[in-house]
Amino acid sequence: VPVSYTAVDSCLRHPEDISGVCMALRYSVDQFVNLQNTAAIATITLGWDPLSRFGSAWLNAARMRIEHSGRKHRLQLYLVGMAADSMDAIDDVYSLLPLMVGLTSLFVLLLVGVAFRSLIVPLRSVLSI
């Protein structure tokens, strides 16, 4: 249930308020905020597969909003979890693909060059792949 900032502020400033919203809010604060009120944890459940193309687009948009909100309110905000970690790993693998192709080609060039004791044969084999 969406709750406005003023309602949250009112509930936290008036502990005598026993309305349902305030009691639920206090319970949430007790469960998800540390004792020093310096850190909190939240769970986000998406209505689609987080590893789909929609999940990737959502993750990028959420990270941009989190970064903007963190700067605006001088907070350190992080988005972590299985889906975010998986998307980061996929992005890292794809970013290293050109390097891996280059290193594999160099290895083949050296291996074929040593095997045939020639420079022309390995260059021709690597360039024709």
Side-chain angles (χ1 to χ4, degrees):
V1 176
V3 179
S4 70
Y5 175 77
T6 54
V8 171
D9 189 49
S10 174
C11 288
L12 294 177
R13 290 183 189 274
H14 300 96
E16 68 279 358
D17 188 347
I18 57 169
S19 67
V21 171
C22 287
M23 296 205 39
L25 180 65
R26 282 192 205 95
Y27 175 78
S28 296
V29 168
D30 289 343
Q31 293 295 310
F32 301 111
V33 178
N34 69 347
L35 294 175
Q36 297 80 19
N37 289 332
T38 58
I41 187 169
T43 301
I44 300 170
T45 304
L46 302 176
W48 57 84
D49 180 12
L51 298 178
S52 69
R53 63 186 174 127
F54 300 114
S56 177
W58 182 88
L59 178 64
N60 292 333
R63 283 190 169 158
M64 287 188 336
R65 284 181 163 227
I66 285 172
E67 182 181 336
H68 174 73
S69 294
R71 274 183 295 172
K72 182 178 177 181
H73 300 290
R74 287 179 255 145
L75 298 171
Q76 293 179 348
L77 303 171
Y78 302 98
L79 183 62
V80 297
M82 191 261 327
D85 293 344
S86 296
M87 295 304 285
D88 289 343
I90 290 168
D91 289 343
D92 289 345
V93 167
Y94 284 145
S95 71
L96 291 174
L97 183 65
L99 176 65
M100 290 296 111
V101 168
L103 290 175
T104 302
S105 297
L106 180 63
F107 178 73
V108 168
L109 182 77
L110 291 172
L111 187 66
V112 173
V114 168
F116 288 100
R117 295 184 185 161
S118 169
L119 185 61
I120 302 299
V121 173
L123 280 174
R124 184 173 175 209
S125 68
V126 167
L127 293 176
S128 66
I129 293 178

